[in-house]
């Protein structure tokens, strides 16, 4: 089992989770984070750190998100230090189905 970042993170990108990760398996896109599923050790310390509940344990319902996390973890830079959330985070935190309308495949800055 791994943990996975879902579309709740899109246009929010809170990074509270990255500082507690013991294996540095978070990767930064322009407007969200992902977890590399092959690097995650399933410790779960990141899940309660996310203020918008964007991190979930692996499940059948999230199979598409596992693949999104895997694909972009291979393309985006690693992030291990907390940064400020995106300026629009409060406005977008409760918006549903953000992947179709708001996801950016562009990389973030990383550390």
């Amino acid at each position: 089992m791994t943990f996975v970042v879902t579309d709740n993170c899109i246009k929010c990108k809170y990074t509270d989770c990255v500082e507690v990760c013991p294996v540095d398996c978070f990767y930064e896109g322009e407007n969200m984070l992902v977890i590399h599923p092959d690097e995650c050790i399933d410790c779960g310390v990141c899940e309660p750190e996310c203020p918008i509940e964007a991190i979930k344990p692996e499940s059948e319902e999230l199979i598409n998100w596992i693949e999104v996390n895997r694909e972009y973890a291979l393309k985006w830079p690693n992030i291990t230090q907390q940064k400020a959330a995106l300026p629009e985070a409060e406005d977008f935190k409760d918006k549903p189905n953000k992947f179709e309308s708001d996801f950016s495949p562009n990389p973030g800055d990383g550390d």
Side-chain angles (χ1 to χ4, degrees):
M1 187 175 90
T2 186
F3 283 81
V4 60
V5 180
T6 64
D7 71 337
N8 284 4
C9 186
I10 297 171
K11 295 210 92 168
C12 293
K13 201 166 77 168
Y14 289 96
T15 57
D16 307 59
C17 53
V18 301
E19 283 201 323
V20 299
C21 180
V23 293
D24 299 334
C25 65
F26 281 89
Y27 293 81
E28 183 183 15
E30 180 178 41
N31 69 1
M32 78 172 290
L33 304 174
V34 294
I35 294 172
H36 193 305
D38 299 329
E39 294 175 1
C40 177
I41 60 170
D42 314 324
C43 67
V45 296
C46 59
E47 184 182 19
E49 295 300 317
C50 182
I52 55 170
E53 300 178 1
I55 300 172
K56 305 284 184 190
E58 175 184 357
S59 69
E60 282 297 316
E61 298 84 41
L62 297 176
I63 195 74
N64 290 340
W65 278 106
I66 295 167
E67 293 311 313
V68 167
N69 277 244
R70 176 177 279 111
E71 177 182 351
Y72 289 97
L74 296 172
K75 297 176 180 179
W76 292 345
N78 190 241
I79 179 172
T80 61
Q81 298 176 4
Q82 187 171 3
K83 299 178 181 181
L86 295 177
E88 63 268 23
E90 281 300 307
D91 297 332
F92 279 86
K93 69 179 182 180
D94 295 320
K95 182 181 177 189
N97 304 315
K98 293 188 276 185
F99 189 77
E100 293 80 18
S101 59
D102 300 304
F103 173 76
S104 170
N106 298 325
D109 297 329
D111 287 342

